[in-house]
Amino acid sequence: MYSILLKQFFKSRTSLLGLGLTLALGITSLVIGKKFLDEQALAASQVVEEQAAHVERNIALHPDDLGLLFYYLKFTLVNTPKPLASLSIGQRDVHPEIMRVNMLTLEGQKYDTELVNPVNLLFGNMDLSFLIVYVFPLIIIAFTYNLFSQENETGTWRIVGVMAKSKGNYMLNKLLVRISVLMATVLFILIAGLFLLDIPVDEAFLAFSLLSVCYLLFWFSLSYWVVSLQKNSNVNALMLLSIWLTLVVLVPATLNNFITTYYPIPEALSTMIKQRDAYHQKWDTNKRETMEKFYGRYPQFTSYGYPPEEGFNWMWYYAMQYLGDEESQVESQSMKEKVRLREETSKMWAYLIPTMHTQLSLNGLAGTDLSNYMAFLEHTKGFHEQVRLTYYPAIFSNFTTDQIGFEKGKPHFFQESREVNWAYALLPLLVPILLFAVLASRNKWD
């Protein structure tokens, strides 16, 4: 029976059009992912060249004043994307992947970003995760909404009841035809992505693929349950499209507004103000008090002593810059905690919302979620301190540029490593799949 139904499926022009559209969109998403990776790789290679030229240019401009040289020098940290990011770009098009920081206060630099075309942000990226979460459910609805009603409305259901040994098995085979065809299409796209995008077949890719399959099975089980209620085609289509709109648009948007309202982040502004005030107030504070606070954090530099109260001194200036960050840490930590709570709350609610859960999980597996960006910012903080501690002694000792090496000033590359949480990824989908399968099985085909 399955083979007969499969032939019937492929005889339908509507089915072939749907499959062709799905395949075309899938290949297009891979091309967009390839373009994204190429742009990221090009930017990283240009950073290496630009960093060397930037250092040479500033050394030529400030050969005798090391403090002034490091006032202008910027050091680069690159958030290297995983190949899997090409399948789920996530928030990578919003947050910067390259940070260029100098030795001044970090809080004023962490959230600097390049100008982004707002039109691009409006339309977003049609990556594979977008197709899986938003588009493929519509294809599934189109394939299944009249699974039973078409037979009933055209008058062939009575013939099926006579010829088929079991009406339930007949309907199940019709569903399996559509599941197998669409799954084959998705797996073809994923395998094509392996070769086109050089994605390694690792645990993250396997989890990405299995999560995608389970998400589509969720929509198949949901659609089959709606069909099993044995309503007419119009009612089925309206119900399924209403559910799609609710799960994909309405609930995520409402939840996002709730979370941002419940966890406001005024610290985003107060951190910047606190950092600037703390730094500027040091101009009116005696140098010894500033240096004592600085030495309290970095006792290894106490041998450099205290600068004279009169006149400008680079050691005191960079100590001021550091204390500007140090005294805004309460606001900075509070902001990070609010962002963490926002993300944890989103993930908690996503357990009940398969669409949200799938999108968040795909971004997490690809390393393109908010957690990755926060880890990158935290790594930037450590990178900034490493740069400062590397060159403080040279500045405090009044070295000249030819007395130090700039090899440690080369761009650094960061890539987050994260273990796959299989239970978190799959259970929120497996439970509703089984639930709707059981509900559908309880409805008898008349």
Side-chain angles (χ1 to χ4, degrees):
M1 182 182 296
Y2 175 86
S3 59
I4 296 174
L5 293 173
L6 184 63
K7 291 178 181 179
Q8 290 179 352
F9 178 81
F10 280 112
K11 286 181 180 180
S12 170
R13 292 184 178 180
T14 304
S15 300
L16 292 177
L17 179 62
L19 283 178
L21 178 61
T22 303
L23 189 59
L25 289 174
I27 298 301
T28 302
S29 72
L30 298 183
V31 173
I32 291 174
K34 176 67 173 175
K35 180 183 177 183
F36 166 77
L37 282 185
D38 290 343
E39 289 175 349
Q40 299 279 302
L42 177 62
S45 64
Q46 289 175 338
V47 158
V48 175
E49 298 174 1
E50 172 58 27
Q51 181 70 23
H54 170 73
V55 171
E56 292 178 4
R57 183 168 58 251
N58 279 278
I59 289 176
L61 292 172
H62 314 289
D64 302 320
D65 193 338
L66 203 60
L68 187 60
L69 172 65
F70 280 100
Y71 178 88
Y72 290 105
L73 274 186
K74 290 184 177 289
F75 302 88
T76 307
L77 180 65
V78 180
N79 189 3
T80 308
K82 300 177 182 178
L84 197 59
S86 57
L87 301 183
S88 185
I89 296 174
Q91 298 190 21
R92 283 283 184 142
D93 55 353
V94 178
H95 299 304
E97 76 278 0
I98 297 175
M99 296 288 291
R100 301 185 74 237
V101 298
N102 55 28
M103 293 179 61
L104 307 184
T105 50
L106 179 61
E107 290 298 332
Q109 305 177 68
K110 282 199 302 185
Y111 305 103
D112 287 344
T113 182
E114 299 292 336
L115 293 176
V116 180
N117 188 333
V119 176
N120 291 339
L121 292 180
L122 173 65
F123 291 104
N125 291 292
M126 195 183 70
D127 54 15
L128 185 58
S129 69
F130 173 83
L131 296 183
I132 289 172
V133 174
Y134 294 92
V135 178
F136 281 14
L138 293 176
I139 302 295
I140 292 172
I141 291 172
F143 282 172
T144 58
Y145 81 98
N146 61 351
L147 204 64
F148 163 77
S149 56
Q150 184 181 37
E151 302 273 6
N152 193 40
E153 292 163 2
T154 57
T156 59
W157 182 244
R158 293 183 179 182
I159 300 174
V160 170
V162 173
M163 297 184 63
K165 294 181 179 180
S166 169
K167 293 180 180 179
N169 287 341
Y170 174 81
M171 293 302 299
L172 190 59
N173 274 286
K174 287 189 70 174
L175 178 69
L176 289 176
V177 165
R178 287 148 179 79
I179 291 176
S180 59
V181 170
L182 192 58
M183 290 302 175
T185 304
V186 172
L187 292 177
F188 173 81
I189 295 171
L190 287 169
I191 293 172
L194 288 177
F195 297 97
L196 180 63
L197 306 172
D198 295 325
I199 299 174
V201 184
D202 55 9
E203 188 178 21
F205 176 77
L206 294 176
F208 189 100
S209 303
L210 192 55
L211 180 65
S212 301
V213 168
C214 287
Y215 178 72
L216 298 184
L217 286 176
F218 158 74
W219 278 100
F220 272 114
S221 64
L222 172 61
S223 299
Y224 191 62
W225 169 70
V226 170
V227 169
S228 71
L229 299 177
Q230 302 178 36
K231 306 294 183 181
N232 63 53
S233 298
N234 292 335
V235 173
N236 289 345
L238 182 61
M239 285 182 62
L240 289 170
L241 289 176
S242 298
I243 293 172
W244 177 88
L245 191 63
T246 300
L247 292 180
V248 170
V249 180
L250 182 60
V251 173
T254 303
L255 186 59
N256 179 66
N257 287 334
F258 166 75
I259 292 174
T260 53
T261 303
Y262 194 78
Y263 296 111
I265 307 183
E267 294 85 358
L269 177 62
S270 62
T271 299
M272 180 183 68
I273 294 175
K274 179 72 174 180
Q275 169 258 312
R276 290 186 176 183
D277 286 347
Y279 157 66
H280 286 296
Q281 288 172 6
K282 298 295 181 294
W283 288 97
D284 301 320
T285 306
N286 67 74
K287 293 184 175 66
R288 186 177 186 89
E289 181 181 338
T290 299
M291 295 309 300
E292 283 178 349
K293 290 182 179 179
F294 178 76
Y295 289 150
R297 176 64 176 84
Y298 297 116
Q300 66 268 36
F301 297 128
T302 54
S303 60
Y304 290 100
Y306 298 88
E309 289 296 328
E310 299 297 327
F312 180 82
N313 180 272
W314 281 115
M315 180 170 64
W316 164 69
Y317 178 79
Y318 283 108
M320 282 198 307
Q321 291 286 337
Y322 165 73
L323 292 176
D325 276 336
E326 190 71 7
E327 294 182 20
S328 64
Q329 283 305 299
V330 173
E331 288 78 8
S332 180
Q333 290 297 329
S334 178
M335 182 175 68
K336 286 193 292 186
E337 179 65 16
K338 293 281 187 67
V339 173
R340 185 188 65 80
L341 287 173
R342 281 185 176 187
E343 186 177 27
E344 287 187 354
T345 304
S346 298
K347 289 182 177 179
M348 180 185 69
W349 280 100
Y351 277 114
L352 304 175
I353 309 168
T355 50
M356 277 188 61
H357 171 77
T358 303
Q359 184 68 77
L360 291 174
S361 298
L362 292 177
N363 289 346
L365 291 169
T368 59
D369 56 352
L370 184 59
S371 292
N372 174 267
Y373 179 62
M374 297 306 294
F376 179 53
L377 287 183
E378 192 64 27
H379 192 79
T380 301
K381 181 179 179 181
F383 173 71
H384 183 257
E385 182 174 36
Q386 177 188 340
V387 169
R388 289 189 292 106
L389 295 182
T390 298
Y391 294 109
Y392 273 164
I395 297 173
F396 297 170
S397 300
N398 296 314
F399 283 4
T400 58
T401 55
D402 57 357
Q403 290 179 281
I404 62 173
F406 289 91
E407 292 78 10
K408 294 182 180 180
K410 293 181 178 179
H412 284 226
F413 295 87
F414 166 78
Q415 188 173 79
E416 183 189 22
S417 59
R418 193 184 305 180
E419 293 184 357
V420 175
N421 187 335
W422 288 96
Y424 167 77
L426 300 181
L427 279 179
L429 293 175
L430 293 176
V431 170
I433 288 172
L434 293 175
L435 173 63
F436 286 117
V438 170
L439 290 175
S441 66
R442 294 168 64 90
N443 295 326
K444 302 300 181 182
W445 298 98
D446 298 327

